[in-house]
């Protein structure tokens, strides 16, 4: 059965303090790995799709990377507006549904 | 209006009530989805529609009944719900040339449902 584990569950950073969020996965045949951002009271917002190990994607202060076992979402010099819950999800050959992790709640303080 | 719109934003209902959640997408997408988000749990896929046809029912209890009259509108009809059905219900859409891939999804803001 496909599994997605995100760590840490919660992360508090000072503005400008760079860090990484982790998404480890176990799937039978990865089709794609996805990162979403969810603000309180809103639905998730698509950030990135990664398809193969070694692939990297960037958007502003965010950079997503992928290996055969995990993905990292690197946040460089975060700002308070980066505070949100970040969700990781995988699609695989074993089933149709996207398997989501429980998310990492990020708080960036001024 | 752009994006995916869900109404109502909040809903409180008793276990014997019947209510409906509405979703409308203004993106011209062909696939629409219902997801359930419970506290401390991952998002769970409930239903998928592609061009109005249901293509996925993820073992959802029959007290949840979806309806997709056209590619832009999606409903979730609720009846005799249980307190454990309290959750955030999210609608999403996507544009996929060869059918719903459940990948790059555009979500609405959700309906926060409380069942008393």
């Amino acid at each position: 059965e496909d599994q997605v584990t995100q760590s840490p569950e919660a992360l508090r950073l000072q503005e400008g303090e760079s860090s990484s969020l982790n998404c480890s996965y176990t799937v039978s045949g990865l089709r794609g790995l996805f990162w979403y951002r969810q603000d309180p009271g809103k639905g998730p917002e698509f950030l990135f799709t990664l398809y193969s190990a070694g692939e990297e994607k960037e958007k502003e202060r965010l950079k997503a990377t992928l290996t055969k076992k995990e993905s990292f979402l690197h946040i460089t010099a975060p700002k308070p507006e980066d505070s949100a819950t970040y969700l990781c999800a995988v699609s695989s050959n074993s089933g149709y549904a996207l398997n989501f992790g429980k998310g990492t709640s990020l708080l960036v303080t001024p | 209006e752009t994006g995916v719109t869900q109404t109502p934003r909040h809903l409180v209902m008793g276990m014997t009530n019947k209510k409906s959640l509405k979703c409308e997408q203004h993106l011209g997408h062909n696939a629409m989805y219902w997801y359930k988000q419970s506290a401390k749990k991952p998002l769970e896929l409930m239903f998928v529609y592609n061009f109005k046809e249901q293509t996925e029912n993820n073992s959802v209890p029959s007290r949840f009944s979806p309806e997709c009259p056209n590619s832009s509108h999606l409903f979730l009809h609720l009846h005799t719900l249980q307190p454990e059905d309290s959750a955030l219900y999210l609608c999403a859409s996507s544009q996929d040339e060869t059918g719903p891939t459940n990948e790059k999804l555009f979500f609405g803001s959700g309906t926060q449902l409380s069942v008393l």
Side-chain angles (χ1 to χ4, degrees):
Chain A
E1 185 179 321
D2 298 348
Q3 288 193 344
V4 180
T5 305
Q6 291 189 247
S7 61
E9 206 172 293
L11 180 63
R12 184 181 180 124
L13 299 173
Q14 290 270 54
E15 184 171 1
E17 179 187 1
S18 301
S19 187
S20 296
L21 313 183
N22 177 264
C23 172
S24 61
Y25 62 91
T26 305
V27 297
S28 53
L30 178 72
R31 280 178 30 205
L33 185 139
F34 310 87
W35 284 98
Y36 284 83
R37 168 190 170 132
Q38 186 171 21
D39 292 300
K42 293 191 175 182
E45 177 186 351
F46 173 82
L47 292 173
F48 303 109
T49 307
L50 302 166
Y51 292 106
S52 56
E55 190 174 357
E56 298 181 351
K57 294 271 180 76
E58 284 189 69
K59 180 180 180 179
E60 296 180 358
R61 294 176 293 282
L62 301 177
K63 179 180 177 180
T65 61
L66 181 66
T67 72
K68 289 186 178 180
K69 294 182 178 180
E70 59 193 348
S71 176
F72 291 94
L73 185 65
H74 307 279
I75 304 177
T76 302
K79 298 182 177 182
E81 52 261 42
D82 295 321
S83 298
T85 295
Y86 290 85
L87 302 173
C88 171
V90 297
S91 64
S92 72
N93 296 327
S94 64
Y96 178 85
L98 268 184
N99 285 292
F100 278 86
K102 294 182 181 181
T104 293
S105 177
L106 173 66
L107 177 64
V108 182
T109 57
Chain B
E1 192 171 352
T2 59
V4 180
T5 304
Q6 289 187 244
T7 55
R9 290 296 309 274
H10 302 273
L11 179 62
V12 179
M13 58 187 290
M15 290 190 285
T16 58
N17 290 159
K18 289 184 180 181
K19 296 286 184 183
S20 296
L21 310 185
K22 179 182 176 182
C23 175
E24 183 175 1
Q25 58 99 356
H26 310 271
L27 301 168
H29 288 168
N30 59 286
M32 296 188 77
Y33 311 75
W34 280 116
Y35 273 88
K36 176 183 179 182
Q37 187 173 36
S38 305
K40 304 294 184 184
K41 289 186 176 180
L43 267 78
E44 300 172 56
L45 178 65
M46 299 176 74
F47 302 104
V48 183
Y49 279 82
N50 184 35
F51 289 111
K52 305 186 300 178
E53 300 297 322
Q54 188 179 124
T55 58
E56 188 83 7
N57 176 338
N58 204 25
S59 303
V60 180
S62 59
R63 57 186 183 270
F64 295 91
S65 175
E67 179 190 0
C68 188
N70 55 62
S71 294
S72 299
H73 293 85
L74 186 64
F75 296 89
L76 189 61
H77 304 298
L78 316 172
H79 62 98
T80 59
L81 294 190
Q82 305 297 310
E84 59 263 30
D85 296 321
S86 299
L88 180 68
Y89 289 85
L90 291 161
C91 174
S93 69
S94 67
Q95 179 62 37
D96 307 294
E97 293 180 358
T98 58
T101 59
N102 199 10
E103 295 194 351
K104 185 176 179 179
L105 302 174
F106 291 77
F107 284 89
S109 294
T111 295
Q112 186 65 53
L113 173 66
S114 296
V115 181
L116 305 179

